[in-house]
Amino acid sequence: MTQQETKIGIESVYKIFGPDPSSVLDRVKDGAGKQELLEETGHTIGIRDVSLDIGVGNIFVVMGLSGSGKSTLIRHINRLIEPTDGRILVDGEDVLRLDAEALRHLRRYKMSMVFQRFALLPHKTVIENVMSGLQIRDEAGGGLIPKGGPVGGIAKRLGLSSGTANAEARDRAQAQVDLVGLQGFENQYPSQLSGGMQQRVGLARALATDAEVLLMDEAFSALDPLIRNDMQDQLIQIQNELSKTIVFITHDLDEALRIGDHIAILRDGELRQVGPPEEILMAPADDYVSRFVKDVNRGRVITVGSIAAEYPAVELVAASFADALGKLEASERNTVYVCDGDGRPVGAVTTKMAQEGRDLSGPIADDSKLDPVQTVDSAAVIEDMLPLAMKSEVPVAVLDGQGALAGGVPRRTVLSALVRRTE
C-alpha cells in the first residue's frame, strides 16, 4: 500500500488553559496529571502532546467523551484556538506562522466548518442561506453578488463577471442543494424545515465554497437517530463524489466506525489510539479503548479484506493437479485456488480431495474436478459474508477491485473476527 499524502499534520500539540499556560508547560511535558495541575496552579490541560497525520481525501474522525479535548483539537486546525506548543501544518505550511491576511485566506478558501448548531439565517430561504456561504467568504468584503458594484473576491476566483455573478452563484448553490437532497425546498425558510433538513442546508452552505477541508464538530449530534443515520449516509455519498478532506468530531463510536477512514480516540486530552476502524476493533491499544469497543457489532465494521490471508493459486489449463498438490504441501495450507487467465477463481484443489482418493492426475483442463468456491469482494464487511462462510467447505475467495484473487478467508477466521475481545 502506498503512503498517502498528508493534508493536515498535527505535531506534538499542547493546549493549556489558565492565566499563564507557558509557566506550567514544562510540568505538563514532564507528566503532571490533569487534576494535580488544576489544584496546584489553576491551569487545565486541554490537549497533551497530540500528533496526527490526516490524509488527503480521508474522513478522519476524532472521538472521545465529553472533556476529552476533541472539539479543542479541531479548532486548532484553523487557528480558532492557538496551541500552547506544537505545530499545525496544512499542505506542509505551518498555520501558526500565517499572518492575518494569509489566515483569512485559509479560512475562506481552504476550510469550511460545520457546527452542531446549524446557525442558519432565519430570514433567508434555503437557497439564500447556501449562497451566503459564498458571500461571507468574499475577499473584498462586499459579498459575492454585488448590486451594481464590482465583483467580489470569490466571484473573481470562480471566474464570475458582474453581469452574471448572481445567476452563476445561484447555480452553484443549487448544485449543492441538489447534492444534499433538498431539491424542491429552495424557497423554504429554516423554520419550515426539520432538524435533519436544516443540517443539510448547513452542509450545502459549507460545500458551496468548494473548500478543500471540511471541519465538522459534532455536526449530527443534535439529530434524532434515524435522521442522523440519513445524514451519515448523505455524508458518505457526498464524499464518494467529492473526495474532500473531512475532520469529523463525535462522541459516538458507532458513528465513528460507520463513516471514518481513520479514527483517533482521545481521553483527557491525550491520544490513546489512532488507526482504521478494523484496527481499533481488532487490536485495541489499551483497556480504555477495549472498554470503548467491547459492545460494538464487529461484523458490521470489519472488512473481509482486513482478515484475508494469502493463499496459493495455479492457473486453469496451464497447471496440473500435481502442481496444485505441490503448492499445497509447500504452503501448509489446505486449499489451492485455481484461477482463469484474469486471476479470477473458478474452483479449488484441497487436501480433503486427496484424502478422499479422488482422481487428481493429469492437467487441470476445466473446473469439473474442482471443489466449488464462494467469492466475496474485499470491501464487504464480514457480516455480509457470514452465510457464504457457513455453507462453504472451502475458504471463501476474496476478490480485489478488478475481480481477481486477493486471498482467502476460512470459516474459523470469520468466527474468530466476530468474537469480542474480552482480555
mmCIF file of all heavy atoms in Angstrom, residues 4 18 26 57 65 74 94 103 129 147 149 190 231 271 286 353 360 388 403 414 420:
data_model
loop_
_atom_site.group_PDB
_atom_site.id
_atom_site.type_symbol
_atom_site.label_atom_id
_atom_site.label_comp_id
_atom_site.label_asym_id
_atom_site.label_seq_id
_atom_site.Cartn_x
_atom_site.Cartn_y
_atom_site.Cartn_z
ATOM 1 N N GLN A 4 -0.072 7.512 1.921
ATOM 2 C CA GLN A 4 -0.996 8.541 1.477
ATOM 3 C C GLN A 4 -0.440 9.925 1.768
ATOM 4 O O GLN A 4 0.222 10.160 2.777
ATOM 5 C CB GLN A 4 -2.348 8.376 2.175
ATOM 6 C CG GLN A 4 -3.425 9.286 1.624
ATOM 7 C CD GLN A 4 -4.777 8.960 2.230
ATOM 8 O OE1 GLN A 4 -4.845 8.493 3.358
ATOM 9 N NE2 GLN A 4 -5.843 9.194 1.503
ATOM 10 N N GLY A 18 -5.576 28.645 31.198
ATOM 11 C CA GLY A 18 -5.280 29.220 32.504
ATOM 12 C C GLY A 18 -4.601 30.567 32.368
ATOM 13 O O GLY A 18 -4.383 31.065 31.257
ATOM 14 N N ASP A 26 6.301 23.022 31.025
ATOM 15 C CA ASP A 26 7.308 22.001 31.336
ATOM 16 C C ASP A 26 6.763 20.958 32.302
ATOM 17 O O ASP A 26 7.082 19.764 32.185
ATOM 18 C CB ASP A 26 8.557 22.666 31.913
ATOM 19 C CG ASP A 26 9.374 23.396 30.854
ATOM 20 O OD1 ASP A 26 9.159 23.119 29.658
ATOM 21 O OD2 ASP A 26 10.190 24.258 31.229
ATOM 22 N N GLY A 57 -8.281 13.536 1.201
ATOM 23 C CA GLY A 57 -9.473 12.800 0.803
ATOM 24 C C GLY A 57 -10.005 11.825 1.834
ATOM 25 O O GLY A 57 -10.903 11.040 1.538
ATOM 26 N N LEU A 65 -15.171 11.076 24.844
ATOM 27 C CA LEU A 65 -16.276 11.521 25.682
ATOM 28 C C LEU A 65 -16.153 13.016 25.955
ATOM 29 O O LEU A 65 -15.176 13.662 25.574
ATOM 30 C CB LEU A 65 -16.278 10.720 26.988
ATOM 31 C CG LEU A 65 -16.398 9.197 26.829
ATOM 32 C CD1 LEU A 65 -16.356 8.519 28.187
ATOM 33 C CD2 LEU A 65 -17.654 8.811 26.055
ATOM 34 N N ILE A 74 -9.936 20.258 17.094
ATOM 35 C CA ILE A 74 -10.330 20.633 15.732
ATOM 36 C C ILE A 74 -10.225 22.140 15.526
ATOM 37 O O ILE A 74 -9.924 22.612 14.425
ATOM 38 C CB ILE A 74 -11.765 20.135 15.412
ATOM 39 C CG1 ILE A 74 -12.013 20.162 13.901
ATOM 40 C CG2 ILE A 74 -12.818 20.950 16.128
ATOM 41 C CD1 ILE A 74 -13.354 19.577 13.495
ATOM 42 N N ASP A 94 3.027 25.798 7.905
ATOM 43 C CA ASP A 94 2.738 25.972 9.320
ATOM 44 C C ASP A 94 1.688 27.059 9.502
ATOM 45 O O ASP A 94 1.946 28.242 9.258
ATOM 46 C CB ASP A 94 4.020 26.343 10.073
ATOM 47 C CG ASP A 94 3.841 26.288 11.588
ATOM 48 O OD1 ASP A 94 2.689 26.233 12.049
ATOM 49 O OD2 ASP A 94 4.859 26.317 12.307
ATOM 50 N N LEU A 103 -4.087 33.971 7.006
ATOM 51 C CA LEU A 103 -5.007 33.185 7.829
ATOM 52 C C LEU A 103 -6.445 33.350 7.345
ATOM 53 O O LEU A 103 -7.217 32.385 7.298
ATOM 54 C CB LEU A 103 -4.873 33.592 9.294
ATOM 55 C CG LEU A 103 -5.720 32.806 10.295
ATOM 56 C CD1 LEU A 103 -5.416 31.320 10.224
ATOM 57 C CD2 LEU A 103 -5.495 33.339 11.712
ATOM 58 N N ASN A 129 -29.528 30.927 2.044
ATOM 59 C CA ASN A 129 -28.595 30.503 3.087
ATOM 60 C C ASN A 129 -27.371 29.825 2.477
ATOM 61 O O ASN A 129 -26.238 30.056 2.916
ATOM 62 C CB ASN A 129 -29.285 29.553 4.063
ATOM 63 C CG ASN A 129 -29.834 30.255 5.289
ATOM 64 O OD1 ASN A 129 -29.078 30.626 6.181
ATOM 65 N ND2 ASN A 129 -31.151 30.448 5.317
ATOM 66 N N LYS A 147 -24.699 44.417 -5.931
ATOM 67 C CA LYS A 147 -25.769 45.039 -6.698
ATOM 68 C C LYS A 147 -25.217 46.288 -7.380
ATOM 69 O O LYS A 147 -25.169 47.362 -6.800
ATOM 70 C CB LYS A 147 -26.948 45.395 -5.795
ATOM 71 C CG LYS A 147 -27.609 44.168 -5.183
ATOM 72 C CD LYS A 147 -28.805 44.541 -4.357
ATOM 73 C CE LYS A 147 -29.472 43.295 -3.796
ATOM 74 N NZ LYS A 147 -30.644 43.603 -2.967
ATOM 75 N N GLY A 149 -22.191 46.895 -8.129
ATOM 76 C CA GLY A 149 -20.822 47.199 -7.753
ATOM 77 C C GLY A 149 -19.862 46.217 -8.394
ATOM 78 O O GLY A 149 -20.244 45.382 -9.208
ATOM 79 N N PRO A 190 -35.850 28.293 7.144
ATOM 80 C CA PRO A 190 -35.405 27.308 8.135
ATOM 81 C C PRO A 190 -36.499 26.829 9.076
ATOM 82 O O PRO A 190 -36.545 25.646 9.435
ATOM 83 C CB PRO A 190 -34.301 28.059 8.885
ATOM 84 C CG PRO A 190 -33.723 28.980 7.867
ATOM 85 C CD PRO A 190 -34.901 29.426 7.043
ATOM 86 N N MET A 231 -28.148 11.344 7.584
ATOM 87 C CA MET A 231 -27.091 12.324 7.340
ATOM 88 C C MET A 231 -25.726 11.648 7.186
ATOM 89 O O MET A 231 -24.894 12.078 6.391
ATOM 90 C CB MET A 231 -27.045 13.346 8.474
ATOM 91 C CG MET A 231 -28.179 14.364 8.447
ATOM 92 S SD MET A 231 -28.279 15.296 6.901
ATOM 93 C CE MET A 231 -26.650 16.051 6.829
ATOM 94 N N LEU A 271 -3.998 11.336 23.271
ATOM 95 C CA LEU A 271 -4.310 10.393 22.204
ATOM 96 C C LEU A 271 -4.069 8.973 22.697
ATOM 97 O O LEU A 271 -2.955 8.619 23.072
ATOM 98 C CB LEU A 271 -3.426 10.690 20.982
ATOM 99 C CG LEU A 271 -3.646 9.831 19.745
ATOM 100 C CD1 LEU A 271 -5.045 10.047 19.188
ATOM 101 C CD2 LEU A 271 -2.593 10.151 18.686
ATOM 102 N N ASP A 286 -5.306 -0.211 24.510
ATOM 103 C CA ASP A 286 -5.256 -0.314 25.970
ATOM 104 C C ASP A 286 -6.640 -0.657 26.498
ATOM 105 O O ASP A 286 -7.600 -0.840 25.733
ATOM 106 C CB ASP A 286 -4.724 0.990 26.594
ATOM 107 C CG ASP A 286 -5.526 2.223 26.191
ATOM 108 O OD1 ASP A 286 -6.720 2.086 25.838
ATOM 109 O OD2 ASP A 286 -4.969 3.342 26.234
ATOM 110 N N MET A 353 -9.739 -33.404 -0.893
ATOM 111 C CA MET A 353 -9.919 -34.124 -2.160
ATOM 112 C C MET A 353 -8.925 -35.269 -2.273
ATOM 113 O O MET A 353 -9.271 -36.388 -2.695
ATOM 114 C CB MET A 353 -9.759 -33.159 -3.340
ATOM 115 C CG MET A 353 -10.850 -32.100 -3.421
ATOM 116 S SD MET A 353 -10.450 -30.733 -4.563
ATOM 117 C CE MET A 353 -10.269 -31.612 -6.115
ATOM 118 N N LEU A 360 -6.766 -37.160 -9.093
ATOM 119 C CA LEU A 360 -6.097 -35.871 -9.227
ATOM 120 C C LEU A 360 -4.856 -36.022 -10.093
ATOM 121 O O LEU A 360 -3.760 -35.584 -9.754
ATOM 122 C CB LEU A 360 -5.719 -35.329 -7.838
ATOM 123 C CG LEU A 360 -6.882 -35.075 -6.879
ATOM 124 C CD1 LEU A 360 -6.371 -34.564 -5.542
ATOM 125 C CD2 LEU A 360 -7.881 -34.090 -7.478
ATOM 126 N N LEU A 388 -22.030 -17.143 3.408
ATOM 127 C CA LEU A 388 -21.170 -17.860 2.459
ATOM 128 C C LEU A 388 -20.188 -18.754 3.193
ATOM 129 O O LEU A 388 -19.963 -19.903 2.812
ATOM 130 C CB LEU A 388 -20.401 -16.852 1.596
ATOM 131 C CG LEU A 388 -21.205 -15.949 0.678
ATOM 132 C CD1 LEU A 388 -20.267 -14.994 -0.064
ATOM 133 C CD2 LEU A 388 -22.019 -16.773 -0.322
ATOM 134 N N GLY A 403 -11.795 -7.982 -9.487
ATOM 135 C CA GLY A 403 -12.364 -9.322 -9.505
ATOM 136 C C GLY A 403 -11.343 -10.437 -9.468
ATOM 137 O O GLY A 403 -11.693 -11.609 -9.616
ATOM 138 N N VAL A 414 -13.468 -16.146 10.154
ATOM 139 C CA VAL A 414 -14.661 -15.299 10.230
ATOM 140 C C VAL A 414 -15.231 -15.331 11.642
ATOM 141 O O VAL A 414 -15.539 -14.289 12.234
ATOM 142 C CB VAL A 414 -15.727 -15.766 9.215
ATOM 143 C CG1 VAL A 414 -16.995 -14.903 9.345
ATOM 144 C CG2 VAL A 414 -15.190 -15.699 7.801
ATOM 145 N N ARG A 420 -15.914 -10.958 20.447
ATOM 146 C CA ARG A 420 -15.468 -9.731 21.098
ATOM 147 C C ARG A 420 -14.240 -10.010 21.948
ATOM 148 O O ARG A 420 -14.164 -11.016 22.658
ATOM 149 C CB ARG A 420 -16.574 -9.145 21.969
ATOM 150 C CG ARG A 420 -17.777 -8.704 21.184
ATOM 151 C CD ARG A 420 -18.740 -7.941 22.089
ATOM 152 N NE ARG A 420 -19.908 -7.524 21.337
ATOM 153 C CZ ARG A 420 -21.081 -8.136 21.388
ATOM 154 N NH1 ARG A 420 -21.228 -9.188 22.147
ATOM 155 N NH2 ARG A 420 -22.095 -7.701 20.669
#
